[in-house]
Amino acid sequence: MYDYDNFFLAENDMNKAISFYTEILGLKVKYDFRDKGMFALKVGENEPAIILKDKVKFPDAKPTIWFVVDNVMETYSSLKSKSIKFITSPYQIFTGFAVEFDDPSGNRLGITDYSKTKLNTEKKQQTTNFALRAIDLADVVHFLQFQQILDHETEFMMLYPEERSTDLSILKTKIKQIITNGDGFFVAVDNSEIVGYVHAEKGQFMKNKHSAYIVIGVLEKASGQGIGQKLLTKIDEWAVNNNITRLELTVMADNKKAQNLYQKSGFKVEGVKEKSLKTLNGTYIDELYMAKIL
């Protein structure tokens, strides 16, 4: 923890609170997100703000101090190993990730990073020096962070953000099992950051062990640089070396960008899974079966 971030106050009446802090105390407005239940106030030229939280939208809100860390996921894991009990799992906010916990006396504290702001800055620079390699157990923290960002960036992955487990031990066990099974699992890495991945799960039985089911994902900041194509090429190489002659996948029918990528890699549509998925608002989504014979 190397700096203060923001100071949160819980308010029963937002209009009265805003009037008190702006008109009586004379604090300047930093941002007004009343529709989201928050109102931020500047204190001089300091970056940390006082943020009023509407208890109508945040019933469990209480006065809280947030601190800045380099990486919420890593700090969360470290503090959890020291028996810190967190209010929730780490969650994504506009600038990165955050999570809250109480001190021994019940005072609320929080940590946040600015990972998403860093990603947006790096996106402008167009990342090109990425490397492709097999997944490793040491990647567990970075891969979870990658998954959480991807869950928020796109609706084309299977899970909603709140469905994603943040238990690092579960993910580590899953990665270990994938490696043991000999599946194809490769990541695209820019320095130490994972920006894309592909997983090809081999068939487990005599009749389908020649086939593998593919899932792929690339962060928005790394899109348009050929990473998806290179990941699929990597899976082709893995498949040839592992006697896999059929690669298959499903893709949402309205995900035209992904369909174009797969078609360029030699996949063909084999059929339609009608009403395969259902969104939270009740809308059904068809999926396409696509496959490639090597």
Side-chain angles (χ1 to χ4, degrees):
M1 301 180 191
Y2 60 84
D3 201 357
Y4 290 109
D5 181 60
N6 292 309
F7 305 90
F8 295 87
L9 298 175
E11 303 294 346
N12 293 315
D13 188 321
M14 283 291 279
N15 290 330
K16 285 185 178 180
I18 291 169
S19 177
F20 174 81
Y21 283 99
T22 58
E23 297 176 15
I24 297 178
L25 295 189
L27 297 182
K28 302 296 184 182
V29 178
K30 186 169 185 177
Y31 61 74
D32 184 350
F33 288 162
R34 264 176 283 192
D35 59 325
K36 295 180 173 62
M38 291 185 289
F39 190 94
L41 301 148
K42 293 180 64 176
V43 182
E45 297 303 317
N46 296 298
E47 181 61 28
I50 294 176
I51 299 180
L52 310 180
K53 295 186 74 173
D54 189 347
K55 293 201 72 173
V56 174
K57 292 184 179 293
F58 302 97
D60 298 326
K62 60 191 296 188
T64 306
I65 301 173
W66 274 20
F67 300 94
V68 181
V69 298
D70 285 322
N71 187 299
V72 163
M73 295 305 301
E74 291 178 356
T75 306
Y76 169 77
S77 179
S78 174
L79 292 178
K80 198 171 183 181
S81 71
K82 297 175 182 178
S83 300
I84 294 292
K85 294 184 178 179
F86 289 86
I87 308 304
T88 64
S89 300
Y91 52 89
Q92 192 174 51
I93 59 177
F94 181 73
T95 52
F97 289 86
V99 68
E100 295 183 342
F101 56 96
D102 289 340
D103 73 5
S105 297
N107 298 305
R108 183 66 48 87
L109 303 172
I111 55 174
T112 188
D113 58 31
Y114 282 79
S115 55
K116 194 167 183 180
T117 300
K118 293 174 184 175
L119 291 181
N120 289 337
T121 300
E122 292 166 2
K123 184 178 179 180
K124 296 176 183 178
Q125 300 171 355
Q126 286 298 304
T127 303
T128 55
N129 297 320
F130 61 86
L132 300 185
R133 61 169 174 79
I135 191 78
D136 186 87
L137 287 177
D139 293 320
V140 61
V141 171
H142 291 296
F143 188 69
L144 178 57
Q145 189 169 19
F146 162 80
Q147 287 182 307
Q148 290 183 308
I149 294 173
L150 194 63
D151 289 338
H152 281 84
E153 284 187 346
T154 178
E155 297 181 352
F156 293 127
M157 303 306 289
M158 178 59 73
L159 301 185
Y160 283 110
E162 60 270 23
E163 295 179 299
R164 175 75 60 190
S165 170
T166 58
D167 190 321
L168 292 173
S169 63
I170 292 177
L171 180 57
K172 189 171 184 178
T173 299
K174 182 178 180 180
I175 293 174
K176 185 177 181 179
Q177 187 62 53
I178 287 170
I179 294 172
T180 301
N181 289 345
D183 288 348
F185 199 137
F186 300 95
V187 290
V189 182
D190 177 24
N191 294 318
S192 62
E193 179 194 356
I194 296 175
V195 297
Y197 89 111
V198 64
H199 176 205
E201 183 179 6
K202 295 193 300 185
Q204 298 298 305
F205 305 101
M206 293 294 291
K207 290 183 178 180
N208 71 346
K209 66 179 183 179
H210 67 286
S211 68
Y213 182 83
I214 293 176
V215 178
I216 186 172
V218 176
L219 293 186
E220 181 183 341
K221 64 158 283 185
S223 64
Q225 300 178 59
I227 293 178
Q229 189 70 58
K230 287 180 171 63
L231 285 168
L232 290 175
T233 298
K234 194 72 174 177
I235 284 297
D236 283 351
E237 296 170 358
W238 166 85
V240 171
N241 292 330
N242 286 271
N243 297 316
I244 302 296
T245 56
R246 175 183 168 87
L247 297 173
E248 57 190 31
L249 56 84
T250 55
V251 57
M252 295 185 193
D254 58 345
N255 190 354
K256 302 300 182 183
K257 184 176 179 180
Q259 291 170 37
N260 290 336
L261 171 65
Y262 302 143
Q263 289 170 348
K264 288 179 181 178
S265 296
F267 286 82
K268 296 180 180 180
V269 175
E270 293 187 334
V272 179
K273 294 177 67 177
E274 295 184 357
K275 294 187 176 182
S276 176
L277 304 173
K278 188 177 182 181
T279 65
L280 289 177
N281 64 13
T283 301
Y284 287 100
I285 300 174
D286 293 345
E287 286 188 292
L288 303 181
Y289 282 112
M290 297 188 74
K292 174 181 181 177
I293 306 301
L294 300 172

